Amino acid sequence: MTITVRQMLRIPELRRMKIVAGESGLDTNLVSTVTVLDAPDIERWVHGGEFVITSGYIFKDDPTALVRVIENLSKGGMAAIGIKLERFLKTLPTEVIETANKLRFPIINVPIDFAFSDIINPVLSNVVNAQAQELRFSEKVSQSFYELIMNGESIDEILDNLQYFIHVDLAFVDTVFGQNYYCAQSEDFVDRIRRTSLPQLVREIPNRQAVIGDKTYGYLFFDVEDLGTLPKSWDISISHAITAILICTQKRIAKSEAEKRYRDEFVQDILLKNVRFEKEVWNRAQLFDWDLRGPQAVMVVDIDNYKHQFETARQIDEAVATLDEVKQRIYNISTSITKKDFPNVPYAEMSDSIAYIIPSSLRDYDEFKKKLLRTLTSIQEEVSKKTHFTVTIGVGNTKDSIFACHQSYEEAQKALEMIRTTCGGGHAIFWRDLGVYKLLGNLYNTKEAVAFYYDYIGKLIEHDKKKKNQLVETLETIVRCNWQLKAAAQDLSLHYNTLKYRYRKICELIDLNTNDSEDRLNVALSLKLYLMDKYLDK
């Protein structure tokens, strides 16, 4: 335990000691013990936190030597120096005063009648008393959090208890389950935590990590200017609170993992058509209190360009530790939002995606779609804001029975990959809205489909492979831009003449008649089938 230099000077026995220089260090420099300076190289024999006292005898012939000594003491983490200025040093040189002020290192005038023991004994006594007081306080805080843990209280109660000791608004952002907890009167503080991305919060608001090893479980944020200048009791209270939060989170993780394992196996069996008996479904559903009767549709949330985005995110988000942590954070956000609109919805993690079985309606599809679209939009916005990642979401057709949901799952997967192929990531699509792609979805990756697109664009595909060109990509952009070359050039960031040259080359290779609408349709369909083969089978 330590006391500040200012607290030391307030000890009744030491009130006659006066500050001479370095006053700005009175509240930041901490005293843990006292030592006597009898040689100018004292920095070799101290460890930090010492209040150094001296008669000044060793400086009587060269007072400016104090400049180097103060520099070394400050660098070594000493608290202050006390000098009997009325004995061997009547005054301090200007450069000594300036150095102490610059380094915020207090120089204290010790009355000439003080014996060193008159200083050492009161300081050490106060340090020991402070240490005993700190231990009593720590035990009180520890006991309060221990009781909360033993009683199975939640993170909300832990934050309430912490606020009782530190008296400031605070919030905890759980990076494991994707939830925020608040104990605050300030609506502005709560709103800021709720609306700001985690990377920005970590940079801008004083916080402490809840971490075990190299795994981060969350961040405790405080509505203060700077944690570094706050009382020592804060560190004690915050430390015990974080320990309680970690224990609470570990208990929740253990419970969640057990439930997750059984939940995932069950839902995966449904989506992969591994369920053989109807009674088995109803019995297993009852364990989770799921109502799987009636129409259902499957929604799949898939992280776009996962590994590439992870590398990008790590450059801007210090909280991103591992791929699994990123994925879990995204899944938690997605699940939390989905459950607000569809409580107790069955879901399962499927490799790099997460699938949900959503209760639907065969009669009022438009109303179901409208409601679900709001959910999809919220998921994409929250994931982007809180993780800097994007997700593509596909929704399969509504099925009249849970036993046909494997078809909806396949449709959802195809839908999200198709929209990603044609429009890029960060979109949401319903299989029912795919138009011609629904037909192509049943044709791609067949011998007939490959033969069809090779008849029309095969020479272009082989040319790109040999020459390592991007003519297929160029043609795909032209088709997407409704065969408007200027729009395609802008989309590809190419000069218009460059695109015209590529287009002529493409027409020559595949013998494309641009004035024949039938020819253009066949090329467009060939491109779609080829791109589906290329991307959907990766």
Side-chain angles (χ1 to χ4, degrees), residues 288-324:
F288 296 97
D289 195 27
W290 289 342
D291 183 6
L292 299 182
R293 302 179 188 275
Q296 313 277 343
V298 175
M299 175 182 83
V300 177
V301 179
D302 192 78
I303 306 170
D304 294 320
N305 206 2
Y306 184 33
K307 292 184 179 179
H308 173 73
Q309 284 204 76
F310 172 72
E311 294 303 324
T312 302
R314 288 208 66 169
Q315 297 173 14
I316 56 178
D317 186 353
E318 300 167 352
V320 176
T322 67
L323 276 167
D324 284 339

Side-chain angles (χ1 to χ4, degrees), residues 5 73 100 123 262 269 348 415 428:
V5 177
L73 292 178
V123 171
Y262 292 113
D269 283 345

Side-chain angles (χ1 to χ4, degrees), residues 170-230:
L170 52 120
F172 179 68
V173 176
D174 181 343
T175 57
V176 176
F177 294 97
Q179 294 178 304
N180 294 352
Y181 302 85
Y182 307 97
C183 186
Q185 298 295 320
S186 170
E187 293 183 4
D188 289 340
F189 176 68
V190 172
D191 190 59
R192 187 178 179 190
I193 298 292
R194 183 180 291 120
R195 295 180 179 275
T196 308
S197 69
L198 181 58
Q200 188 175 347
L201 286 175
V202 172
R203 289 192 299 268
E204 296 179 357
I205 299 181
N207 64 87
R208 293 284 175 84
Q209 276 184 284
V211 59
I212 299 177
D214 60 354
K215 181 174 177 58
T216 300
Y217 291 82
Y219 292 82
L220 200 54
F221 292 96
F222 304 87
D223 191 15
V224 296
E225 291 295 328
D226 182 12
L227 283 175
T229 60
L230 296 169

